[in-house]
């Protein structure tokens, strides 16, 4: 065993952004959504992620704008805390410790200082019973506050955040669970309960799915499992309540939302159609069809200009109120399983796997961003449960990335298997793949494996597919036979079989001169040039599971794993078994850039990783218990820049990175300590003094406090001094050249100003003199600053992006300028 | 938000003729011009000089047509009996023709009366030709002889009596004034040299020889007889080069295209075939209404003239470039200038805000219905008469799409007698088509499931169901037969290619080698 001291397994990107309803800010410029353990702030116009609000230690379960301050946002998490953030700058303001896992959060402008959270029943945390609790937030200056004043409002509520809603003017709160709708009136401190029968006469299910309350009138809309929407009125009487029913959806309504003015009601569900109902004119509906996949949440911006829908394929769509899609924020799409292997597109170096039904997704690992989806099936997707759809089951890239092959299949119950093999050519002009050849029914049975000839210098590329029908076929690009056809297309070149056995795996050697095809327990080696069977290798008694050629200096080795827990290495020069060892390898893969091979071994409920060279008996690296469960998908992806690690155990990570998918579809990777340190170093700048938002006002006054406390961290200091000097820089730039000191004199000062200064007594004195002035100016400057405040500010970029000058600062500068060049001392 | 993706119509490889350069070239002729002659047209000959008139020998007359005339510009009618083989001299001034009455006549093209009469043959003369020195003619006759005649004084120069049957074709060399070749019903071709008294080369065609053709280079000779067209290499002493058997009746006439790249053969089977002269593959095929006796191509392939047994002369002229352009211009109706220019002139000014018009997606009728989930209507539109007959693949694709959506049963159900009859009609027409069978079989099963209860209520539907049943039974028999044939073929292939298994012993040897190594290496592993 080689120690694995500094190599760690970490999550790498691709977290869910559709788990909870997202929030659009007051000015409709940002969209906030819960994503794993952080809250992501996206720009609604550019779709780019502006900040990550990090701090929670467990999944974030809710995001909510603070009703009294539209520039701050609450987030709640299963770690039992509610945090308050300034999202424009990405600053953490406060943490309220609740002490119980929080599943959703609600607040109303009419209940100041109170938030409502859903927690498990206080007495037993394990149970599936939840209650709605009002939390009185203590007014305290501390950053970490324990919220002790908890009072239960409703017991037995749903943990689904969509099932609770505040009514008009915060007068009541409505909660639906199962077949009951409960409305709690705060004034009367009384709740009414309305129940529905389980089934109606036509067999529809009446279970409540979601609740939305009209903000101007007393009306509650509820969505039901059978696709009906009920509008409840007059519910402040136990008996005389009425409801009307709207029905368009054919399956459960998963989300409902009223627009802020209450003129429209939005609903969505599995059909992936956003339906806009006119309030009081329900026969008039607007539809936005084909949103891609089932709608899970709908949110409306406070001014009603934007809607946003979260979808089950990890996507958020931003829709203008004219029912037009304006932006799409797409995360990594994760299904229940990845049918295609993980692949790396040789051109974009992006991870390729199947995402949305019938599509391939190209996901940039470096930027943690979905580049694009490629529609493989090119058929209208019907959103209906229980339908057999075409699925992309195999995909392969050739060495240069100019060709891609995909296999899609549809397995009907009675009828035959429908198979399509498609070959896609990369189009330089559109920078995407274009369908070149579509081969329907390439094989008679399911395709088990497919690979391209990986030789980089070969003129013609070749594709080999193996199938359960007992044949493997070689496909080759051939010129058009007739004058009519435009370009070359792919056709079958060779059909091979071996004693009627079923081929399972195929693999080309690195130079493309050999093709190995495994037929159950026999490995056959063919020459693709002449289609001659060169040799057979076999290691009975069990079938070959995985097959892999060595690379570079180890290209004479062919490695295979068998179902009988054997890892074999054949030497192709002597056609003999070089070595073999007993391990249950669930996945074997070769690094395309080095000789290294990685083997994931399944042992006792966990997976171990071994990295080795075929020519060396000892593994380079091994890692016990990488994760629980079997690892069946992994990929070596090339690094953008090489790491220079001299430590032996981590050298294998120098040129490429190993990513793998766990049983629960988490994308994990291995990082070295050096890499982590670098990441940390780059993110440290982000850490600003958390207590107060970094406003220009703060920049003037903050230093006084700093002087008092004397506990300034280097990071906060740097964030203070840099804007200060930036004012000086501005001054420097505005001053006419002929009154300036010589450049050589300024230069050294300028450079020094960029360094972190330790103390600056002179500056502090100046401030002390001016304290009164600046305080007097306070009101004016506040007013002035207000419009400039919501501007996104990259705290990470430090100096150059410093906030606008306040009047006080300007005055100071003016005064400073009078004293000859002494302002330039501000650099020091 | 993606737009609606239209139903994918499977493109099937086109059956039948492939479009090649040759088909494009040979199809570029206008509709044929038919001229009724007095009897079977036995020979057509183009004048070698400029207007390229052609002489058509039919029954007792020889007509000369101009290149674009429908009426003969000249006719020679002074034959006592059926005329044969009217041919022009290389300067286009003189014409020679044989006759059933054994007299060979020589005409001036501008005159009417024969200039010379060559008497000497005892039976009908079917072959006449000018020798390349322009002052001698060659004749071949049913009296088994061929003779050379002197033009100026109408005397017989030489007689060759080597053939043992009727001489029905002959050709004189255009380069050498002494050489000529005759073909006879005694299956032989003979090359004669006028300087010696006997043939210098004999080739056996194997069938009665009907037509002869010399390549312009005169290195190759083409002969037609029986169903065969054979090519001989004269420079290699008459070695047979290729034998072509593409007609199923006697080949009667041969012709070379002007470039010499294509060879044409006409046959009694009513076809004219065009061969590539480099690989002798058939590249094109013309069909005619009756058995063809004679064929000629105008210089530059300007027209194809074919004479048939039903005394029809068919002339096809090549489409000129202007013609083809004109036709395409006619087909596309252009909008008027005003409409065409509308909206093109305004240039956006600097401050103008350009509002882009959304591109409207055009959808087929059935797609529009599918988009609205109107499954029955979608199937109805796909079953419209034109689509059903001309583009069954569209109907099948819509059915497949409905099946994919799981709504095919809904779409098929609830049809009245007429609609059901139409559906069944379509099934009967296409269910055995291997391209459509997988989809249509499921559809047929569903129809039978749905309409089981109404069987016996409508005579129309019942009749069609019975037809469908018959069709399927026939198809099953047919498939069984095919499987039997496959089995037979498999055994034949297996027995005829015993050598195919040869690599296997080699492999097994290698296998054994590998196995042996495997055995030796295994203990090592255990040791480690």
């Amino acid at each position: 065993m080689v120690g694995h001291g500094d190599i760690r397994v970490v999550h790498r990107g691709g977290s869910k952004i559709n788990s909870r309803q997202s929030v659009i800010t007051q000015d409709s410029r940002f969209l906030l959504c819960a994503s794993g353990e952080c809250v992501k702030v996206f720009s609604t116009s550019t779709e780019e992620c502006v900040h990550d609000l990090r701090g929670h230690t467990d999944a974030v379960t809710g995001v909510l704008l603070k009703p009294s301050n539209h520039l701050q946002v609450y987030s709640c998490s299963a770690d039992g805390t509610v945090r308050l953030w300034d999202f424009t700058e990405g600053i953490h303001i406060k943490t309220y410790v609740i002490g119980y896992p929080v599943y959703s959060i609600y607040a109303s402008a009419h209940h100041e200082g109170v938030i409502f959270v859903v927690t498990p029943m206080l007495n037993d945390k394990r149970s599936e019973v939840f209650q709605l609790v009002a939390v009185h937030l203590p007014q305290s200056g501390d950053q970490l506050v324990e919220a002790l004043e908890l009072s239960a409002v409703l017991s037995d509520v749903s943990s689904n955040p969509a099932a609770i809603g505040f009514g008009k003017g915060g007068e009541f709160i409505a909660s639906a669970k199962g077949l009951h709708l409960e409305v709690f009136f705060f004034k009367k401190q009384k709740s009414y309960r309305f129940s529905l029968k389980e089934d109606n006469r036509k067999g529809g299910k009446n279970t409540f799915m979601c609740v939305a309350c009209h903000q101007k009138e007393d009306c509650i809309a509820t969505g039901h499992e059978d696709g009906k929407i009920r509008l409840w009125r007059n519910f402040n009487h136990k008996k005389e309540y009425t409801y009307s029913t709207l029905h368009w959806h054919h399956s459960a309504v998963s989300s409902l939302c009223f627009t802020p003015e209450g003129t429209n009601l939005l609903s969505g569900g599995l059909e992936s159609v956003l339906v806009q109902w006119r309030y009081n004119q329900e026969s008039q509906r607007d539809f936005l069809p084909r949103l891609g996949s089932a709608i899970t949440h709908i949110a409306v911006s406070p001014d009603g200009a934007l809607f946003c829908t979260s979808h089950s394929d990890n996507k958020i769509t931003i829709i203008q109120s004219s029912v037009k899609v304006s932006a799409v924020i797409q995360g990594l799409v994760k299904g229940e399983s990845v049918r295609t292997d993980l692949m790396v597109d040789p051109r974009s170096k992006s991870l390729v796997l199947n995402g949305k039904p019938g599509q391939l997704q190209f996901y940039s690992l470096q930027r943690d961003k979905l580049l694009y989806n490629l529609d493989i099936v090119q058929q209208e997707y019907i959103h209906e449960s229980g339908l057999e759809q075409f699925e992309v089951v195999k995909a392969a890239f050739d060495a240069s990335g100019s060709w891609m092959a995909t296999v899609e299949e549809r397995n009907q119950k009675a009828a035959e298997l429908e198979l399509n093999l498609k070959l896609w050519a990369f189009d330089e002009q559109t920078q995407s793949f274009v369908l070149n050849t579509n081969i329907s029914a390439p094989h008679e049975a399911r395709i088990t494996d497919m690979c391209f000839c990986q030789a980089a210098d070969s003129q013609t590329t070749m594709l080999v597919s193996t199938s359960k029908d007992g044949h493997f076929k070689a496909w080759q690009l051939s010129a058009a036979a007739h004058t009519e056809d435009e370009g070359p297309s792919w056709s079958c070149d060779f059909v091979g079989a071996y004693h009627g056995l079923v081929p399972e795996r195929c693999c080309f050697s690195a130079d493309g001169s050999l093709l190995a095809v495994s037929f159950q327990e026999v490995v056959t080696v063919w020459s693709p040039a002449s289609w001659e069977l060169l040799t057979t290798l076999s290691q009975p008694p069990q079938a070959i599971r995985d097959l892999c050629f060595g690379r570079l200096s180890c290209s004479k080795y062919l490695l295979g794993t068998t179902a009988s827990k054997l890892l074999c290495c054949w030497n192709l020069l002597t056609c003999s078994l070089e070595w073999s060892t007993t391990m249950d390898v669930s996945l074997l893969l070769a690094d395309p850039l080095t000789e290294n091979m990685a083997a994931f071994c399944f042992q006792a409920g966990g997976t171990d990783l071994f990295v080795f060279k075929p020519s060396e008996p000892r593994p380079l690296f091994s890692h016990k218990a990488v994760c629980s469960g079997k690892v069946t998908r992994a990929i070596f992806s090339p690094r953008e820049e090489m790491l220079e690690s001299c430590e032996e155990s981590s050298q294998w990570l120098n040129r490429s990175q190993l990513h793998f998918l766990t049983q629960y579809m988490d994308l994990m990777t291995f990082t070295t300590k050096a890499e982590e340190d670098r990441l940390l170093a780059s993110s440290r700048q982000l850490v600003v003094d958390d207590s107060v938002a970094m406003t220009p006002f703060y920049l003037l006054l903050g230093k006084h406090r700093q002087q008092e406390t004397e506990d300034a961290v280097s990071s906060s200091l740097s964030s203070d001094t840099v804007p200060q000097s930036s004012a000086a820089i501005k001054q420097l730039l505005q001053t006419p050249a002929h009154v300036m000191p010589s450049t050589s004199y300024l230069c050294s000062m300028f450079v020094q100003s960029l360094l972190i200064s330790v103390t600056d007594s002179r500056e502090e004195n100046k401030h002390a003199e001016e304290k009164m002035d600046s305080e007097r100016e306070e009101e004016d400057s506040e007013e002035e600053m207000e419009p400039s405040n919501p501007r996104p500010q990259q705290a990470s970029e430090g100096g150059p992006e410093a906030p606008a000058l306040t009047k006080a600062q300007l005055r100071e500068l003016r005064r400073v300028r009078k004293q000859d060049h002494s302002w330039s001392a501000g650099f020091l | 938000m993606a737009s609606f993706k239209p139903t994918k119509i499977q493109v099937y490889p086109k059956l039948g003729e492939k479009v090649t350069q040759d088909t494009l070239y040979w199809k570029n002729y206008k509709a044929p011009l038919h001229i009724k002659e007095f009897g079977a047209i036995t020979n057509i000959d183009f004048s070698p000089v400029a207007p390229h008139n052609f002489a058509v020998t039919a029954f007792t007359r020889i007509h000369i047509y101009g290149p674009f005339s429908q009426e003969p510009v000249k006719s020679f009618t002074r034959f006592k009996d059926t005329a044969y083989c009217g041919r022009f001299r290389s300067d286009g001034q003189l014409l020679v023709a044989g006759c059933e009455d054994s007299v060979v006549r020589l005409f001036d093209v501008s005159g009417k009366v024969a200039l010379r009469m060559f008497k000497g043959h005892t039976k009908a003369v079917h072959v006449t030709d000018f020798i390349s020195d322009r002052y001698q003619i060659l004749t071949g006759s049913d009296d088994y002889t061929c003779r050379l005649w002197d033009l100026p004084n109408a005397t017989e120069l030489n007689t060759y009596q080597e053939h043992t049957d009727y001489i029905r074709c002959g050709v004189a060399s255009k380069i050498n004034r002494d050489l000529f070749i005759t073909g006879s019903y005694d299956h032989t071709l003979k090359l004669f040299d006028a300087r010696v008294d006997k043939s210098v080369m004999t080739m056996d065609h194997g069938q009665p020889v009907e037509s002869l053709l010399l390549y312009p280079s005169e290195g190759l000779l083409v002969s037609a007889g029986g169903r065969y067209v054979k090519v001989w290499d004269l420079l290699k002493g008459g070695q047979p080069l290729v034998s072509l058997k593409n007609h199923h009746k006697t080949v009667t006439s041969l012709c070379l295209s002007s470039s010499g790249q294509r060879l044409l053969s006409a046959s009694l089977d009513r076809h004219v075939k065009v061969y590539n002269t480099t690989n002798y593959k058939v590249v094109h095929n013309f069909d005619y209404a009756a058995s063809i006796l004679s064929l000629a191509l105008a210089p530059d392939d300007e027209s194809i003239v074919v004479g048939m047994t039903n005394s029809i002369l068919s002339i096809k002229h090549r489409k000129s470039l202007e013609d083809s352009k004109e036709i395409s211009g006619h087909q596309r109706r252009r909008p008027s200038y005003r409409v065409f220019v509308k909206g093109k002139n305004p240039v956006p000014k600097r401050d103008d805000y350009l509002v882009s018009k959304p591109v409207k997606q055009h959808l087929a009728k059935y797609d529009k219905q599918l988009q609205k989930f109107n499954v029955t209507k979608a199937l109805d539109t796909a079953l419209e008469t034109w689509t059903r007959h001309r583009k069954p693949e569209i109907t099948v694709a819509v059915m497949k799409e409905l099946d994919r959506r799981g709504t095919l049963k809904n779409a098929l159900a609830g049809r009245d007698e007429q609609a059901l009859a139409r559906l069944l009609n379509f099934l009967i027409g296409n269910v055995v088509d291997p391209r459509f069978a997988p989809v249509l079989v499921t559809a047929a099963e569903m129809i039978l499931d749905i309409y089981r209860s109404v069987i016996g209520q409508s005579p129309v539907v019942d009749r069609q169901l019975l037809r469908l049943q018959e069709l399927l039974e026939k198809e099953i028999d047919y498939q069984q037969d095919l499987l039997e044939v496959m089995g037979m073929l498999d055994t034949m292939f297996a027995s005829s290619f015993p050598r195919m298994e040869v690599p296997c012993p080699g492999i097994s040897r290698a296998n054994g080698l590998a196995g042996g190594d495997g055995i030796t290496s295994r203990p090592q592993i255990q040791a480690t």
Side-chain angles (χ1 to χ4, degrees), chain A residues 159-173:
Chain A
S159 64
N160 175 11
I164 296 176
F166 262 104
K168 171 190 136 194
E171 286 172 11
F172 60 90
I173 190 163

Side-chain angles (χ1 to χ4, degrees), chain A residues 106 116-121 129-134 151-158 163-165 172-177 181-186 189-193:
Chain A
Y106 309 92
F116 296 84
V117 296
V118 170
T119 61
M121 284 300 242
V129 188
F130 299 93
Q131 62 178 2
L132 183 71
V133 175
S151 58
V153 178
L154 287 171
S155 58
D156 190 24
V157 298
S158 165
I164 296 176
F172 60 90
I173 190 163
S175 151
K177 193 190 180 197
L181 174 70
E182 197 166 359
V183 183
F184 181 83
F185 290 91
F186 289 102
Q189 289 289 316
K190 199 173 164 192
S191 75
Y192 294 111
R193 234 170 132 84

